[in-house]
Amino acid sequence: MAAATRARVAQLLRQLQRAACQCPTHSQTYSQAPGFAPFGKTTDYAFEMAISNIRYGAGVTKEVGMDLQNMGAKNVCLMTDKNLSQLPPVQMVMDSLVKNGINFKVYDNVRVEPTDRSFMEAIEFVKRGAFDAFVAVGGGSTMDTCKAANLYASSPHSDFLDYVNAPIGKGKPVSVPLKPLIAVPTTSGTGSETTGVAIFDYEHLKVKTGIASRAIKPTLGLIDPLHTLHMPDRVVANSGFDVLCHALESYTALPYHMRSPCPSNPITRPAYQGSNPISDIWAIHALRIVAKYLKRAVRNPDDLEARSNMHLASAFAGIGFGNAGVHLCHGMSYPISGLVKTYKAKDYNVDHPLVPHGLSVVLTSPAVFTFTAQMSPERHLETAEILGADTRTARIPDAGPILADTLRKFLFDLDVDDGLAAIGYSKADIPALVKGTLPQERVTKLAPRPQSEEDLSALFEASMKLY
């Protein structure tokens, strides 16, 4: 009887597989029907959708004090950076906290492109403060610093590397409860208000790494387009390139049911799971907004429609990549940022050499998508078309070069530096850049095409000049 039941179940599962969605989005050559048996599988069989609550609207920041009051918060940490602490977004938050009788302390020592040291300074401040809620006002650097501070203050006996991604850290799952965190993004790039990811420079190895867990995502993201009017044009451009690559990488990432290992417990299923039917929708929608509005948002600081839409696109792409993950552009970007020598980006008021995250990501994009296209050419062509390419007579083998050329034109139109050479790198730096990419397995293993050290060297070399 048991054997007959098992045979019947197996037959039903085969029927379900045959009935799987065959629409254009989900019928790509690499989107095979997933397996159904969780036990004994080497690859995953499920994906999970996790995002913060999101509230959008011009002036919505004024509600933050009421939100904290509704949560019963008594002692709040307001986290930001030195530049923003003097600007209207932070003042608007403080006014709302005062108006609603919320007791708070300000931590404004967030480092733009944070390091393990700057994370630890914030963590120590938070541990001393005994806060019961957090508000992060700023870009990804502030939101990520606040997530990390909330985590380690909630788990005070943990070693710093306990939660840091393997192989640099131990990558332990987060099982402690965290305090409420409200994120108020002032840039339109990282989507950090939606994700359980916190990125930093690990100074000892001169590479970027991070913490990735659904447990650290903000409780609420307040997306207020009025804050985008304070961004200089290069900040808008570089933030927008992060959105662009979040969308492209999550849409072309390894499908979730091809990612290994299969988790033995749901708590070990990574936040970055591979492309999946839900993240696909957000990624493509974000890409359409970038194609329509990014150039306008860069060129006209008063174009509230364009900047508002890019603020939303950042969150949309965050929902996509926060659940699917990114791959090679981001994996290769971390040493590009971490090994910077003297380059200081225009419009960034910092006292240290800096390659903005979005710039470090997008400079390798033409080479990366030329390399990955053979694994999912239809998706590469689809994204090229959204970004303006005429693909009506395109051949499948040309998908990579077509997307790469489309990206080069897009970047040229927005006055992007001519490749890695223009920001201070040469061929002599390639071994160090490759070495800095190798530990980024959390993202590089999500690339649809495996890559060797020789492949990475070739990709860095191809990215030295763009035009």
Side-chain angles (χ1 to χ4, degrees):
M1 187 68 177
T5 302
R6 282 197 297 272
R8 176 62 180 151
V9 169
Q11 181 187 6
L12 287 170
L13 291 177
R14 283 194 294 272
Q15 289 173 355
L16 278 170
Q17 285 181 317
R18 285 195 293 272
C21 179
Q22 294 299 309
C23 71
T25 302
H26 306 133
S27 60
Q28 309 298 349
T29 53
Y30 72 105
S31 292
Q32 301 142 12
F36 287 88
F39 304 109
K41 275 185 63 66
T42 57
T43 56
D44 210 339
Y45 66 99
F47 67 91
E48 183 171 331
M49 193 67 186
I51 64 166
S52 310
N53 285 351
I54 295 297
R55 187 183 304 150
Y56 172 88
V60 75
T61 305
K62 294 175 182 175
E63 297 182 356
V64 66
M66 289 182 277
D67 286 314
L68 290 163
Q69 196 176 63
N70 294 340
M71 292 173 183
K74 304 294 184 190
N75 184 29
V76 173
C77 175
L78 169 55
M79 200 167 281
T80 190
D81 65 50
K82 282 281 193 297
N83 293 329
L84 262 174
S85 65
Q86 309 300 316
L87 293 175
V90 171
Q91 190 60 53
M92 195 182 297
V93 168
M94 290 196 293
D95 288 347
S96 180
L97 299 185
V98 170
K99 181 179 178 183
N100 289 278
I102 303 295
N103 181 53
F104 67 95
K105 288 192 179 74
V106 176
Y107 181 82
D108 65 358
N109 207 30
V110 168
R111 188 182 194 272
V112 178
E113 302 297 336
T115 63
D116 52 330
R117 186 185 310 168
S118 74
F119 266 18
M120 288 180 196
E121 288 171 0
I123 291 164
E124 285 308 309
F125 177 85
V126 167
K127 282 182 176 178
R128 291 194 302 269
F131 300 107
D132 59 5
F134 296 85
V135 180
V137 186
S141 298
T142 296
M143 290 184 276
D144 288 5
T145 301
C146 199
K147 291 174 191 175
N150 188 8
L151 170 61
Y152 287 97
S154 301
S155 185
H157 302 299
S158 294
D159 181 74
F160 181 72
L161 289 177
D162 280 354
Y163 296 120
V164 173
N165 299 322
I168 291 170
K170 297 177 184 175
K172 288 184 177 179
V174 177
S175 56
V176 296
L178 272 64
K179 302 294 193 295
L181 192 166
I182 299 177
V184 185
T186 59
T187 61
S188 305
T190 65
S192 189
E193 68 275 10
T194 73
T195 72
V197 180
I199 301 297
F200 65 93
D201 281 307
Y202 188 55
E203 293 182 296
H204 176 63
L205 296 178
K206 292 192 182 315
V207 293
K208 265 188 163 50
T209 183
I211 301 159
S213 169
R214 295 176 188 86
I216 69 170
K217 71 183 186 299
T219 314
L220 172 66
L222 294 178
I223 303 176
D224 189 337
L226 296 182
H227 299 330
T228 65
L229 300 177
H230 306 290
M231 283 193 290
D233 63 30
R234 281 300 94 189
V235 176
V236 176
N238 291 326
S239 301
F241 297 146
D242 201 17
V243 180
L244 170 68
C245 288
H246 284 158
L248 287 172
E249 290 172 71
S250 59
Y251 192 60
T252 57
L254 188 76
Y256 75 93
H257 52 78
M258 294 174 68
R259 181 187 51 73
S260 61
C262 183
S264 57
N265 186 305
I267 199 172
T268 62
R269 179 168 284 115
Y272 285 4
Q273 303 161 92
S275 60
N276 60 76
I278 297 179
S279 64
D280 287 349
I281 293 167
W282 293 100
I284 285 296
H285 190 50
L287 193 65
R288 293 187 194 282
I289 298 174
V290 169
K292 184 174 181 179
Y293 288 110
L294 178 56
K295 291 179 185 178
R296 279 175 50 183
V298 171
R299 290 168 180 163
N300 184 359
D302 299 320
D303 190 336
L304 184 58
E305 180 191 358
R307 292 202 168 189
S308 297
N309 274 281
M310 283 305 301
H311 215 33
L312 267 180
S314 175
F316 293 165
I319 297 167
F321 92 86
N323 290 280
V326 286
H327 56 81
L328 282 179
C329 293
H330 272 75
M332 294 170 67
S333 80
Y334 296 142
I336 293 169
S337 293
L339 296 171
V340 60
K341 300 167 187 175
T342 58
Y343 183 83
K344 285 191 178 180
K346 180 177 177 285
D347 289 341
Y348 288 78
N349 184 16
V350 292
D351 60 2
H352 52 273
L354 173 72
V355 182
H357 174 63
L359 179 62
S360 71
V361 168
V362 84
L363 289 176
T364 62
S365 62
V368 163
F369 292 112
T370 301
F371 175 77
T372 58
Q374 65 179 249
M375 304 307 291
S376 53
E378 296 90 346
R379 289 192 172 215
H380 287 67
L381 280 176
E382 183 184 357
T383 54
E385 183 177 21
I386 289 169
L387 291 171
D390 183 351
T391 61
R392 287 173 296 182
T393 58
R395 300 183 322 126
I396 289 293
D398 296 331
I402 289 170
L403 178 54
D405 287 344
T406 306
L407 286 166
R408 285 190 195 94
K409 182 178 186 309
F410 198 83
L411 301 184
F412 183 80
D413 287 349
L414 285 169
D415 300 319
V416 174
D417 302 79
D418 188 8
L420 298 179
I423 62 170
Y425 289 105
S426 69
K427 288 185 180 180
D429 297 306
I430 290 177
L433 290 167
V434 171
K435 184 181 177 185
T437 305
L438 294 176
Q440 311 301 334
E441 294 177 0
R442 179 180 63 94
V443 292
T444 57
K445 284 190 172 180
L446 284 172
R449 180 180 172 187
Q451 64 286 161
S452 64
E453 290 187 39
E454 291 74 21
D455 291 329
L456 292 172
S457 295
L459 290 172
F460 278 116
E461 185 168 351
S463 303
M464 285 293 163
K465 276 188 72 68
L466 289 182
Y467 313 123

